[in-house]
């Protein structure tokens, strides 16, 4: 096994600190990740849970599935990858993920309450007579 000589410990610490700060994404890439977050296709975990000063997150991007795979565009290098996001974008992504979950909950609740039978077979009398006269 080949060893790598460390000559400058402070530069190594600086590099590690850069990783701990995370990275900001450009607007188009942020929007792509936000779509995945909204659909629940991101897995986020704190980068260093033992260090309260480190607010960055590891983000695993899962590919869209089913119908979403046909409509949602995701750069090839973002598919099934792990990124380190800075604290500001991580918090925004978590909020987007929460909004997506809340929207899906409302949709499922409404679907559970929806009456398909009456919308398919019941027509009010005044509407039926107008359709017959037309």
């Amino acid at each position: 096994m080949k060893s790598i000589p460390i000559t400058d410990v402070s530069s190594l610490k600086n590099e590690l600190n850069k990783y701990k700060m995370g990275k900001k994404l450009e607007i188009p890439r942020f929007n792509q990740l936000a779509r995945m977050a909204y659909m629940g296709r991101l897995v986020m975990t704190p980068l260093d849970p033992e260090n309260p000063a480190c607010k960055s997150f590891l983000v695993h991007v899962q590919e869209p599935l089913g119908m979403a795979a046909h409509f949602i565009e995701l750069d090839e290098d973002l598919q099934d990858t792990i990124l380190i996001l800075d604290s500001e974008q991580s918090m925004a992504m978590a909020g987007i993920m929460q909004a997506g979950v809340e929207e899906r909950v409302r949709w499922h609740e409404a679907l559970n309450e929806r009456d398909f039978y009456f919308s398919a077979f019941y027509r009010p009398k005044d509407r039926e007579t107008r359709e017959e006269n037309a």
Side-chain angles (χ1 to χ4, degrees), residues 1-2 20 25 54 71 83 91 97 103 105 107 110 126:
M1 184 171 165
K2 186 177 180 181
K20 281 189 174 185
L25 298 172
C54 182
F71 295 102
L83 306 169
M91 292 299 104
M97 191 180 301
E103 179 67 27
V105 166
W107 184 84
D126 62 334

Side-chain angles (χ1 to χ4, degrees), residues 113-129:
E113 298 295 321
R114 186 173 173 187
D115 190 323
F116 288 95
Y117 182 85
F118 283 110
S119 63
F121 296 106
Y122 175 74
R123 292 191 183 123
K125 295 223 183 262
D126 62 334
R127 194 168 129 201
E128 284 180 11
T129 56

Side-chain angles (χ1 to χ4, degrees), residues 84-98:
I84 301 173
L85 281 186
D86 76 330
S87 62
E88 185 179 32
Q89 287 190 347
S90 294
M91 292 299 104
M93 208 60 70
I96 293 166
M97 191 180 301
Q98 181 177 355

Side-chain angles (χ1 to χ4, degrees), residues 36-55:
M36 295 296 106
Y38 193 84
M39 292 187 316
R41 301 298 298 159
L42 291 188
V43 178
M44 297 178 65
T45 190
L47 180 63
D48 188 358
E50 295 177 6
N51 181 0
C54 182
K55 304 290 186 191

Side-chain angles (χ1 to χ4, degrees), residues 21-38:
M21 291 178 63
K23 178 182 170 187
K24 281 210 181 292
L25 298 172
E26 307 84 36
I27 293 171
R29 292 175 71 79
F30 179 86
N31 284 330
Q32 288 180 32
L33 247 60
R35 290 179 191 109
M36 295 296 106
Y38 193 84

